[in-house]
Amino acid sequence: MRALLVITNAEAGTSDEERLAEALAVLREQASVEVAKTSNPGELDGVLHRAGGRTVVVAGGDGSLHAVVTALHKRHELADTTLGLLPMGTGNDFARSNDIPLEVADAARLVLDGEPRGVDLLVDEVGNVVVNNVHVGVGAQASRKGARWKGRLGSVGVGKVNLGKLGYPIGAALSAFHPPSWRMRVEIDGRVVNDVDRPVLMVAIGNGGNVGGGTELNPDADTEDGLLDVMISRAVKPMAKLGYVARLRKGEHEERDDVLSLRGTSVKVSGDEFWLSADGEVSGPERSRSWRLERAAYSMILP
């Protein structure tokens, strides 16, 4: 019988507890399951210490997956661990990008029947990891504003119709009215693709394609292809900003003449002071940051 270690948030609400119970009922039909609830990095590290080669199943959203991958990476155990995901967050962007079912019972069946495959990872110069997507400029500003709207709307609705997933589009729309532009040098694999004389609205580096609950920021990104997808928006004039946001909400922004779509295995962004949003976590300000791709850094059970 397969052995699974399911890691969940100790502060999950009643609705999440009910959904988790539904998933556990499916998993326990074919596997031995231990459930561990954690509320901070110290507790998470202790749980992973006793994983003992079991498949680690993350019951949570993108933040929870980011936390587990980060902990395993720091423990130098990521390459030897197989992960599964029960998407129980608001956005579930990693799940969307990798065709993991959003219904937890279906996701549980995938954990039992799916195929472990090598998944890429972004690592920056100080060792921080990005599982799905990192963006700087107005995208991070949208995430900062969207986080407030996500909190306000998160209690409205149930399950997939929860309005919290509108946080990022609302944040992007609000940011379009008063965002600055940034003078940035963007280098891909050592080649300058945008210099400081061309102001940018945002730069998005995608391992996965979705952010903010389904906004396709890097539509063609693939976590298994060994490449980063880099989107640079030069839509800095007032009407261009509004047009960019309108096309972004439809996933059509890459069709604009002031948007560049490129690929590579390493990216460096430097210039004006900026904030960044990595897997939904906003940090900064920074003047320079670089990321490199680690191909097939860990195994994830996928369709």
Side-chain angles (χ1 to χ4, degrees):
M1 179 174 286
R2 295 180 58 185
L4 307 176
L5 174 61
V6 176
I7 299 178
T8 186
N9 187 347
E11 300 175 0
T14 301
S15 175
D16 285 338
E17 290 286 355
E18 293 173 353
R19 295 170 65 205
L20 178 61
E22 182 182 358
L24 292 175
V26 173
L27 294 175
R28 284 172 170 150
E29 292 176 0
Q30 300 183 40
S32 169
V33 181
E34 177 189 352
V35 179
K37 297 183 178 182
T38 67
S39 59
N40 59 63
E43 290 181 357
L44 176 59
D45 191 64
V47 167
L48 292 173
H49 181 70
R50 65 173 192 268
R54 289 177 290 179
T55 296
V56 175
V57 181
V58 180
D62 298 309
S64 298
L65 179 61
H66 176 96
V68 171
V69 171
T70 295
L72 288 167
H73 186 263
K74 289 181 177 179
R75 293 176 59 85
H76 304 288
E77 296 174 356
L78 184 59
D80 299 321
T81 303
T82 297
L83 296 176
L85 179 62
L86 301 175
M88 294 174 56
T90 301
N92 297 316
D93 290 301
F94 183 90
R96 294 173 191 273
S97 296
N98 290 276
D99 297 323
I100 295 173
L102 299 184
E103 293 290 349
V104 291
D106 293 336
R109 295 185 186 95
L110 173 63
V111 169
L112 296 173
D113 302 330
E115 175 187 359
R117 299 208 300 269
V119 174
D120 301 336
L121 185 70
L122 306 186
V123 183
D124 72 11
E125 68 266 41
V126 295
N128 297 320
V129 306
V130 179
V131 174
N132 183 55
N133 194 289
V134 56
H135 44 97
V136 307
V138 76
Q141 186 168 332
S143 291
R144 294 174 74 190
K145 293 184 177 182
R148 294 195 293 269
W149 282 95
K150 177 180 174 180
R152 294 170 186 171
L153 297 173
S155 61
V156 181
V158 178
K160 289 192 295 183
V161 297
N162 187 291
L163 297 184
K165 66 183 181 180
L166 297 178
Y168 185 85
I170 289 175
L174 291 173
S175 297
F177 289 101
H178 300 289
S181 59
W182 286 263
R183 293 189 178 275
M184 288 185 177
R185 171 175 290 184
V186 183
E187 302 170 57
I188 300 178
D189 295 340
R191 180 172 65 93
V192 177
V193 296
N194 192 90
D195 216 335
V196 293
D197 60 336
R198 293 296 302 270
V200 302
L201 186 66
M202 71 176 298
V203 180
I205 303 162
N207 186 33
N210 292 273
V211 303
T215 299
E216 293 185 328
L217 196 54
N218 298 91
D220 296 323
D222 184 341
T223 57
E224 299 177 74
D225 67 359
L227 291 170
L228 307 174
D229 283 49
V230 183
M231 185 278 294
I232 304 170
S233 172
R234 294 170 171 168
V236 297
K237 295 182 178 180
M239 292 306 297
K241 292 172 184 176
L242 294 175
Y244 170 76
V245 170
R247 298 293 288 272
L248 174 64
R249 295 183 68 180
K250 298 178 181 179
E252 300 173 351
H253 54 292
E254 290 192 322
E255 299 174 11
R256 292 178 57 90
D257 293 337
D258 53 12
V259 172
L260 299 180
S261 298
L262 304 163
R263 286 180 170 168
T265 58
S266 66
V267 181
K268 181 178 181 180
V269 178
S270 59
D272 286 345
E273 191 174 85
F274 61 85
W275 291 75
L276 61 92
S277 176
D279 292 339
E281 296 296 322
V282 179
S283 63
E286 303 284 352
R287 287 280 190 180
S288 177
R289 185 61 66 92
S290 60
W291 297 266
R292 58 181 171 80
L293 183 84
E294 288 193 1
R295 185 160 194 178
Y298 63 101
S299 293
M300 170 69 68
I301 299 177
L302 297 175

